[in-house]
Amino acid sequence: MDKDEKRQLQRKRLMDSKAYQTMQGLTRYMDRYYLDALIGVIPGWGDAIALLSAVPFVYFSARVIKSVPLTLAILNNALRDVLMGLIPFFVGDIIDIFHRANIQNMQMIQGFVDGDEVMIKQVNQRAWQSAIALVVLLLLIALMIWALISFGSYLYLLVASIF
């Protein structure tokens, strides 16, 4: 069995896996049918649910493909999507319509499964950048949650003082 046949066999095995099928379904519903933007309307919970949709991508990249750079890039993309989705007054939900993190994650995974040298090189180059960005994004998400809670408390006190 030559190298191309082995790659084709491995590619078929990966694409037939339950995790891969789940990722395709999530991509279709969350990004192509804009479910990510719709559930983002639910303050806080919508973005948490959207973040859960990244779990199969992280699992597939970390456990099946076994690529740390790919996993970092997927986490970076998912957390960036959550951060943008947390922007209040429906601005984050509008951004979710255009960002389409799951499609981007699927393209990166597809590049690794297909052995696309250009995609693999791009993801590998972004590995350190993604690690630093992940720390920054986690801090920004924590700051955004704190700001939203503070704003909500302020509004509650304002309304309570009127009545």
Side-chain angles (χ1 to χ4, degrees), residues 12-46:
K12 182 174 176 8
R13 183 181 57 82
L14 290 174
M15 292 177 77
D16 287 344
S17 73
K18 187 71 173 167
Y20 191 87
Q21 300 299 322
T22 301
M23 290 183 309
Q24 283 186 318
L26 281 170
T27 300
R28 181 175 43 256
Y29 290 109
M30 295 297 280
D31 287 346
R32 290 199 173 97
Y33 297 149
Y34 306 107
L35 188 58
D36 188 14
L38 289 174
I39 64 172
V41 173
I42 305 167
W45 288 103

Side-chain angles (χ1 to χ4, degrees), residues 17-144:
S17 73
K18 187 71 173 167
Y20 191 87
Q21 300 299 322
T22 301
M23 290 183 309
Q24 283 186 318
L26 281 170
T27 300
R28 181 175 43 256
Y29 290 109
M30 295 297 280
D31 287 346
R32 290 199 173 97
Y33 297 149
Y34 306 107
L35 188 58
D36 188 14
L38 289 174
I39 64 172
V41 173
I42 305 167
W45 288 103
D47 296 307
I49 293 168
L51 183 59
L52 285 176
S53 74
V55 170
F57 294 95
V58 172
Y59 170 81
F60 196 80
S61 64
R63 303 288 289 169
V64 178
I65 296 178
K66 296 181 171 105
S67 171
V68 173
L70 178 61
T71 304
L72 286 172
I74 286 172
L75 283 170
N76 181 357
N77 201 28
L79 290 173
R80 194 171 354 114
D81 185 53
V82 168
L83 180 63
M84 288 186 285
L86 283 171
I87 298 172
F89 306 114
F90 302 106
V91 174
D93 302 318
I94 293 168
I95 291 171
D96 274 341
I97 291 172
F98 299 104
H99 185 247
R100 297 181 172 202
N102 292 318
I103 288 175
Q104 294 170 11
N105 288 341
M106 199 66 194
Q107 288 170 342
M108 288 188 286
I109 285 177
Q110 192 65 49
F112 267 74
V113 169
D114 290 342
D116 181 355
E117 295 297 326
V118 174
M119 180 63 74
I120 292 170
K121 185 176 179 182
Q122 285 176 355
V123 170
N124 286 335
Q125 287 175 344
R126 291 189 224 157
W128 282 105
Q129 190 179 356
S130 293
I132 293 167
L134 283 172
V135 172
V136 171
L137 286 170
L138 286 171
L139 290 172
L140 287 173
I141 288 170
L143 181 63
M144 182 68 85

